[in-house]
Amino acid sequence: MRTMTPAELVLMRKAGQITRDALNYAETLIKPGLSTYDLDKMVEKFIIDCGAIPSFLNYEGYPASICASVNAMVVHGIPSKDVTLREGDIISIDVGAIYKGYNGDAARTFPVGKIAPEKARLIEVTKNCFFEGIKNLKVGHRLGELSHAIQVYAESNGYSVVRELVGHGIGKKMHEPPSIPNYGKVTDGPIVVDNCCLAIEPMINMGRKEVWLLEDGWGVVTRDGKPSAHYENTVLVTKDGVEILTL
């Protein structure tokens, strides 16, 4: 992780705002009968109309502008005309925007129509994992304090934490050092520096923690077929606290 200059932080904030607005726009579109392909195209246009570039499009060969992960898909679901949202589904939308060379990255899990109470609770606990985690994100402290807090909160609520996928530093590149697990010991990880930007993203499973990578090389699903939720924000950490750039 690195300390960012005031000029860089201006651009990071703008990238974060566009990413936030794109997620909020996606939420207004989600309904039964919508294909994830159509959702992707509408959000892509929104980001471009805001004067930004979709971070994900063609990133290491990824073919779309959002990740659209339904139910047991943890992350990186490729939008498709063959995937149509149904009443009772949950969908995790992960999106990024590049503004003048700087990246925002955020994710939310949304309900499709009316969902089962157990799915609603999974979404809420996953969101709370993020906020419990950043209470422990402080300059001069180890990143492991955040990681440990996320794990403890998730497991105390009866859920499991995905191990293979982690948060990351962010700035001129969407993925920068360090890697930020959502589990671990308080003594793990590097020391947090002032004015650094990080993408914190709990990925929490209703069932077991184990996952499979699909044959497309992108989609990650729970091995037991139970739902998963995702909540991510790009944050700025300073001596004064944590500023959430995508909320």
Side-chain angles (χ1 to χ4, degrees), residues 5 12 20 31 42 46 49 68 85 127 149 200 220 246:
T5 67
M12 286 296 296
R20 172 201 66 198
K31 62 181 180 180
M42 288 186 282
F46 180 91
D49 288 348
L85 299 179
K127 176 181 177 180
I200 310 300
V220 175
T246 49

Side-chain angles (χ1 to χ4, degrees), residues 8 10-22 43-60 62 64-66 94-106 168 170-176 234 246:
E8 287 181 303
V10 170
L11 300 178
M12 286 296 296
R13 288 188 176 96
K14 182 63 177 178
Q17 290 167 6
I18 294 170
T19 303
R20 172 201 66 198
D21 293 346
V43 175
E44 178 182 294
K45 182 179 185 300
F46 180 91
I47 293 170
I48 293 169
D49 288 348
C50 288
I53 300 168
S55 301
F56 296 0
L57 186 60
N58 300 318
Y59 181 82
E60 297 185 352
Y62 187 75
S65 293
I66 68 171
D94 194 352
V95 67
I98 304 169
Y99 181 77
K100 295 186 177 179
Y102 287 81
N103 284 269
D105 187 11
H168 49 91
I170 187 169
K172 286 186 176 180
K173 296 180 180 178
M174 184 163 60
H175 294 102
E176 297 185 357
T234 299
T246 49

